[in-house]
Amino acid sequence: MDVGLKRELEQKVYAGERLSREDGEALYASDDLAWLGRLAHHVRTEKNGDRVMFNVNRHLNLTNVCSASCAYCSFQRKPGEKDAYTMRVEQAVAKALEMKDEQLTELHIVNGLHPTLPWRYYPRVLKELKQALPNVKLKAFTATEVQWFEKISGLTADAILDELMEAGLESLTGGGAEIFDWEVRQHIVDHACHWEDWSRIHRLAHSKGLRTPSTMLYGHIEEPRHRVDHVLRLRELQDETGGFTVFIPLRYQHDFHDSADGKIRNRIQAQTKMASPAESLKTFAVSRLMLDNFDHIKCFWVMHGLSLAQLSLNFGVDDLDGSVVEYKITHDADSYGTPNTMHRDDLLHLIWDAGFTPVERDTRYQVVKEYGAPVSMAERRSEPQQVWA
Ligand code: SF4
């Protein structure tokens, strides 16, 4: 990158000035990873000090049966396929109850767009889950699912959100965003929820007092300019509503899964590579720099591995998800040996070993518990270090 442009971008960042689309594209064009990390770490430290937030949650996928066939998706199954499943309400409750002793604070629920399950099933599941685990916050459904509920119920998103909130919904999930730019989206997404509906539903949720996360699926057929466009749309919506809690860049995964039928479902696999760790760190850093009105950037460690999750804390990330006991959507596509189970203690040590201070939060990013600061690097070096997967 031209030295003059580099200085100019640095000055903007240190002065707290908003970065433009051109700035974002220039940052992606830089191969100076250490420099990007330094800038993003400055912003992250200004906003969050050395704190790293996490929550103790469980991911629950009620059904993998889906009417859509998104090109990258290895999770969905068609009705009648051998490993297609749909949980009865009681099964979902029983699964959630298995975690009762984990001091769980959140259930994260996302599902396929089931062709025949009736709309009434969804508020019923939430109601029963809330009854079984009254202290657990329910973060459920993507905007894509809410739009699907409109289709199967004939109700408006407004009425749907009211009913789901009445049943115990605390937050939508951030999924279904993928890449908003139609140039890319038309090749990877196979349902009817695009930017117009995704933003309409999150805007509506924010107007009802819900706070929601947001995501981006990167590292497939998109180019850096599409990532910049994606975060700029979110930044604009955040200016309008202030309702987003966090931004989560999700790393696109190849489908190496040895599934029951041995099928590879990812249809763009032959034309794609996955993002390298360096590309992921760059994506965290540029996202942190562009999203000046977002408090938090999250690394979903299941998709990155634990070592990269630790490194990401120096590249703009201040939030780790989470204490996951079971996560199907990634693990149907992942053979990298990333554990799918971590508990509160594992996560605390992961954060301390990376040199940061852990803070347990709830779904709305309220502090549940502050933990002690890490010991110094010199002290840590004198002890045997945990080797993270
Ligand atoms: S990404 Fe979601 S909507 Fe698309 S096929 Fe997979 S489960 Fe269905």
Side-chain angles (χ1 to χ4, degrees):
M1 185 191 286
D2 172 78
V3 179
L5 177 58
K6 217 169 174 175
R7 290 290 91 80
E8 201 184 297
L9 287 168
E10 268 178 27
Q11 276 166 9
K12 270 182 139 175
V13 170
Y14 289 121
E17 272 178 49
R18 178 159 274 195
L19 300 182
S20 66
R21 185 179 294 265
E22 293 69 34
D23 294 337
E25 290 178 11
L27 289 168
Y28 269 117
S30 168
D31 275 340
D32 192 343
L33 199 56
W35 175 71
L36 287 170
R38 181 156 55 80
L39 294 184
H41 195 61
H42 166 77
V43 174
R44 171 247 196 275
T45 307
E46 290 276 296
K47 285 184 181 286
N48 295 296
D50 77 343
R51 290 150 66 101
V52 175
M53 291 196 139
F54 70 95
N55 70 344
V56 180
N57 66 6
R58 179 181 180 124
H59 288 237
L60 192 63
N61 307 119
L62 300 169
T63 179
N64 62 355
V65 177
C66 188
S67 300
S69 299
C70 298
Y72 55 84
C73 181
S74 55
F75 170 71
Q76 56 89 13
R77 298 289 185 273
K78 297 303 168 210
E81 277 196 68
K82 208 158 84 188
D83 48 355
Y85 74 87
T86 301
M87 291 182 195
R88 292 195 313 277
V89 175
E90 311 77 68
Q91 284 176 308
V93 172
K95 217 160 180 37
L97 279 173
E98 284 168 20
M99 285 283 290
K100 208 168 179 175
D101 297 334
E102 285 283 338
Q103 291 167 297
L104 183 71
T105 61
E106 175 185 279
L107 271 178
H108 177 117
I109 306 168
V110 289
N111 319 288
L113 309 175
H114 196 290
T116 55
L117 262 183
W119 148 244
R120 308 283 346 143
Y121 167 85
Y122 299 95
R124 214 187 121 214
V125 178
L126 292 195
K127 215 171 254 173
E128 302 271 333
L129 287 170
K130 196 71 197 172
Q131 218 159 47
L133 297 164
N135 298 324
V136 173
K137 303 266 195 295
L138 301 178
K139 183 171 77 182
F141 312 126
T142 60
T144 308
E145 289 180 85
V146 173
Q147 196 212 27
W148 179 253
F149 300 156
E150 288 185 289
K151 184 177 154 133
I152 62 174
S153 69
L155 297 169
T156 60
D158 193 45
I160 284 164
L161 288 180
D162 283 346
E163 191 160 345
L164 292 174
M165 286 167 74
E166 174 77 28
L169 183 79
E170 299 268 355
S171 170
L172 294 179
T173 68
E178 324 315 355
I179 286 284
F180 291 127
D181 191 314
W182 185 245
E183 198 182 339
V184 172
R185 194 172 184 85
Q186 62 183 312
H187 299 295
I188 61 169
V189 166
D190 179 47
H191 51 68
C193 187
H194 307 302
W195 166 247
E196 293 69 22
D197 285 305
W198 195 97
S199 57
R200 168 178 66 88
I201 288 164
H202 279 267
R203 184 183 285 111
L204 188 62
H206 298 167
S207 76
K208 291 176 181 295
L210 295 179
R211 304 198 68 214
T212 64
S214 57
T215 63
M216 170 177 79
L217 186 71
Y218 71 93
H220 42 87
I221 58 169
E222 93 291 357
E223 294 170 22
R225 68 190 164 93
H226 299 119
R227 293 182 212 165
V228 173
D229 175 79
H230 190 93
V231 297
L232 287 182
R233 293 184 198 220
L234 292 171
R235 187 170 82 180
E236 203 174 307
L237 186 52
Q238 179 76 327
D239 276 343
E240 184 190 325
T241 70
F244 288 118
T245 46
V246 64
F247 177 65
I248 315 161
L250 298 172
R251 182 178 177 224
Y252 158 80
Q253 310 271 311
H254 269 182
D255 181 4
F256 295 130
H257 180 60
D258 179 21
S259 61
D261 56 14
K263 265 191 207 164
I264 297 227
R265 287 181 165 75
N266 181 340
R267 299 197 306 282
I268 48 172
Q269 188 141 308
Q271 59 183 118
T272 52
K273 290 182 188 157
M274 286 171 51
S276 66
E279 188 64 26
S280 292
L281 292 176
K282 186 188 273 191
T283 304
F284 286 123
V286 179
S287 303
R288 177 61 287 171
L289 292 168
M290 296 302 293
L291 291 172
D292 54 7
N293 53 3
F294 276 62
D295 290 339
H296 304 289
I297 304 290
K298 181 192 281 190
C299 173
F300 183 42
W301 55 260
V302 178
M303 288 178 167
H304 296 277
L306 299 178
S307 297
L308 193 69
Q310 284 187 312
L311 268 177
S312 75
L313 302 176
N314 293 285
F315 284 78
V317 169
D318 67 287
D319 185 26
L320 291 178
D321 187 5
S323 198
V324 183
V325 162
E326 183 178 356
Y327 187 63
K328 282 186 171 295
I329 290 179
T330 295
H331 271 267
D332 279 358
D334 168 340
S335 69
Y336 299 100
T338 310
N340 66 355
T341 305
M342 269 182 88
H343 296 98
R344 186 185 271 99
D345 279 355
D346 299 325
L347 211 56
L348 289 174
H349 284 285
L350 184 85
I351 295 167
W352 277 321
D353 283 355
F356 292 85
T357 300
V359 177
E360 189 172 341
R361 63 163 176 83
D362 67 11
T363 305
R364 293 179 72 94
Y365 285 75
Q366 303 298 313
V367 173
V368 172
K369 186 171 178 185
E370 309 251 7
Y371 291 84
V375 291
S376 71
M377 183 80 90
E379 280 176 271
R380 277 184 280 136
R381 277 194 192 138
S382 65
E383 296 168 2
Q385 292 295 293
Q386 175 96 39
V387 177
W388 298 102

